[in-house]
Amino acid sequence: HVVRELNHRPAIGVYKKYLNLMPHKDFLKKTLAFQFILYRNGQPIARHPVAACENGSLVFAGDFRPEEKIRLSYGDPKEILQNACNSRWEIQNFAPQGMLLFSCIGRYNFLQDKVDQELAEYQSIAPQGGIYTYGEISRMDGQVENLNITLLSVSFREGPKPEAAPLPRPPMP
């Protein structure tokens, strides 16, 4: 979970080059919007450092594999909220009887006052419970992954889906 180098240079150099950031007390807060993205089994996975070391290494809650290519990304609150709207549509058409929501505390810190907008997308679907976490665990295509900066929703129902017309997909912005 420690990345010492990227392209034979100290890992912190990515944040220095593109954001002019080096390790200091506000480093983690200032980098919340800028995660690394990697793809596993066709799924994007975000990684945000939990610590920056004086030697230029970055420490992450999730793993990286040597052969994986990563890129620095930017979290766009507008796109995150649109994705929540699209997820609501998919979940409503599943017709769950209950839901569990696990949201990363980093996401809470990043979205700030918009976090309620994101969670509101799920409130009218079914009874729910949830917590803020420091890492989310997901099973995607039979693979267990430790996620970061993610909202994980688990929807469930007992028995077949009730007969109802599918809801129209929400408009794209």
Side-chain angles (χ1 to χ4, degrees):
H1 298 253
V2 176
V3 177
R4 290 177 181 79
E5 294 183 343
L6 293 169
N7 296 329
H8 308 291
R9 294 188 180 129
I12 192 78
V14 171
Y15 287 110
K16 172 68 174 150
K17 179 177 179 177
Y18 295 106
L19 302 171
N20 199 28
L21 290 175
M22 291 300 285
H24 56 75
K25 66 178 185 146
D26 291 334
F27 177 80
L28 299 180
K29 184 177 179 181
K30 290 186 181 238
T31 59
L32 269 176
F34 303 95
Q35 306 94 34
F36 286 106
I37 300 291
L38 59 98
Y39 285 86
R40 285 199 187 144
N41 303 316
Q43 297 291 324
I45 297 175
R47 294 280 188 255
H48 182 262
V50 295
C53 305
E54 289 300 324
N55 69 1
S57 298
L58 297 173
V59 180
F60 294 84
D63 67 328
F64 289 92
R65 297 175 187 157
E67 73 280 0
E68 289 177 323
K69 297 201 182 302
I70 62 172
R71 61 185 170 96
L72 188 61
S73 69
Y74 170 72
D76 179 356
K78 183 178 177 182
E79 187 173 334
I80 290 168
L81 295 175
Q82 182 61 45
N83 286 340
C85 184
N86 290 337
S87 291
R88 180 194 60 194
W89 176 81
E90 290 178 19
I91 293 168
Q92 280 180 309
N93 279 317
F94 172 74
Q97 294 170 317
M99 294 177 61
L100 298 173
L101 300 174
F102 303 92
S103 185
C104 183
I105 195 72
R107 191 179 190 92
Y108 174 86
N109 290 328
F110 173 65
L111 289 174
Q112 296 178 13
D113 60 336
K114 291 180 176 58
V115 75
D116 290 338
Q117 278 182 267
E118 179 183 42
L119 296 175
E121 291 292 343
Y122 302 93
Q123 290 177 343
S124 64
I125 299 173
Q128 59 191 250
I131 60 172
Y132 286 102
T133 67
Y134 278 104
E136 305 72 51
I137 298 173
S138 177
R139 186 170 166 218
M140 297 181 282
D141 300 324
Q143 301 292 316
V144 176
E145 296 292 346
N146 180 15
L147 305 177
N148 218 208
I149 312 290
T150 303
L151 172 65
L152 179 66
S153 62
V154 179
S155 301
F156 48 91
R157 71 166 183 261
E158 191 172 327
K161 179 179 166 181
E163 291 296 322
L167 299 168
R169 184 174 277 282
M172 297 301 282

